[in-house]
Amino acid sequence: MVFLPRHHEYKKKKSKAPYAFIVIFILILGALYSQERKIRIFLAGDLSQKIGKQKEKIQIALEQNELTDILTRDFHTYTNDYLEKEPLKPSASYFKAQAYYYELMLSGVRFDSFSLVKRLNDPIQLLFGDNEKAKEDSNQLFIHAKRAAMFQKGFDQEESNRFLLFLGESIRNKKQPSALYSDYKDINPEKLDSELTHPFTWLMFYNAIRNGNLTDLEKLLEMNANENYSGKLLLTEREVNFIKGETYFYGKDYVLALNHLRKVKSSENDPITIQATLTEARIFFKQNLPKKGIDLLLEEHKSGRDKNKLYIKQLKEWSGMRPDLNIDIPSEKQQETVDEDDI
């Protein structure tokens, strides 16, 4: 006889519904995350208006020298979204290039006569700091400005975009100043965004001077003297004489260059005196009078009036070029600890 248990124990089956709900919820979150950018762009409304309002904030900040990375970060966000939404619009690529321009402006650079005098003999990129971020920002600026120019002619921001190309090519330093000046001298400054007018004038002066063409420089000085010109640089008579001397130097008219440069030198340890002294010494070196140039820099350094790392840097460069000159370069202990950027 088979024994049958009186009671049977049954285990209640657990419902799979909660697990299914969790899986579905995770899948929905994943889908939302993957499409987050498109959803944000869809809900963003008129991105061009947001970009315009952010530009106004940045323009005010630049005027007050108070640009922050928060302002540029938000501008990057809006321009990224706009570029994804309207990839074929030249204005979208222009705004993206402008975002990288604002990144460069975070270095605190001022496009005025003081920075023109101080940096005239330096590569443009040193204005924004000699670092990898500045190089990448300038490279992206050029790429997006070039992209904007490829799509369409005559778009609203075309002249401003041409300025960014001008700046990008100046930083890349692959064209002669004469070619750059020729390519971009017809930019209409009245059609530029307001924050670009002074940088445009600065860049025109920089390239015209290094072009060594006094005719180009005189045209710029005449334009800059116009009271109604919005991109005016406030140049003193001494600064004008200095940049004329530098223009003659780059044009290889060394006699006229020396006449102007010696006229602007003073007993003060200021950028004009320092740069004029360096250029005077370089003229001697180019005229095959290296000892005269070396003695000038050593005398200025030893006098205690113009001890400066720039003089030592030039002497070291010449020593590397001409070991036979046996230049007695002052040691580090003899040098006054003055940073070039504080001059």
Side-chain angles (χ1 to χ4, degrees), residues 194-206:
S194 61
E195 73 272 28
L196 303 182
T197 54
H198 285 94
F200 167 70
T201 305
W202 193 100
L203 203 55
M204 289 291 283
F205 269 111
Y206 177 89

Side-chain angles (χ1 to χ4, degrees), residues 160-221:
S160 293
N161 191 68
R162 287 187 69 204
F163 163 75
L164 295 184
L165 284 171
F166 186 18
L167 178 61
E169 291 213 67
S170 296
I171 293 173
R172 284 159 68 87
N173 198 27
K174 293 184 178 181
K175 281 188 180 180
Q176 292 295 324
S178 57
L180 276 173
Y181 187 85
S182 177
D183 288 347
Y184 297 104
K185 66 181 180 182
D186 63 335
I187 290 176
N188 185 347
E190 300 304 319
K191 292 184 178 180
L192 294 175
D193 286 345
S194 61
E195 73 272 28
L196 303 182
T197 54
H198 285 94
F200 167 70
T201 305
W202 193 100
L203 203 55
M204 289 291 283
F205 269 111
Y206 177 89
N207 280 283
I209 294 164
R210 291 173 69 99
N211 181 19
N213 190 321
L214 193 69
T215 302
D216 291 342
L217 180 65
E218 293 289 3
K219 289 177 182 177
L220 278 173
L221 289 170

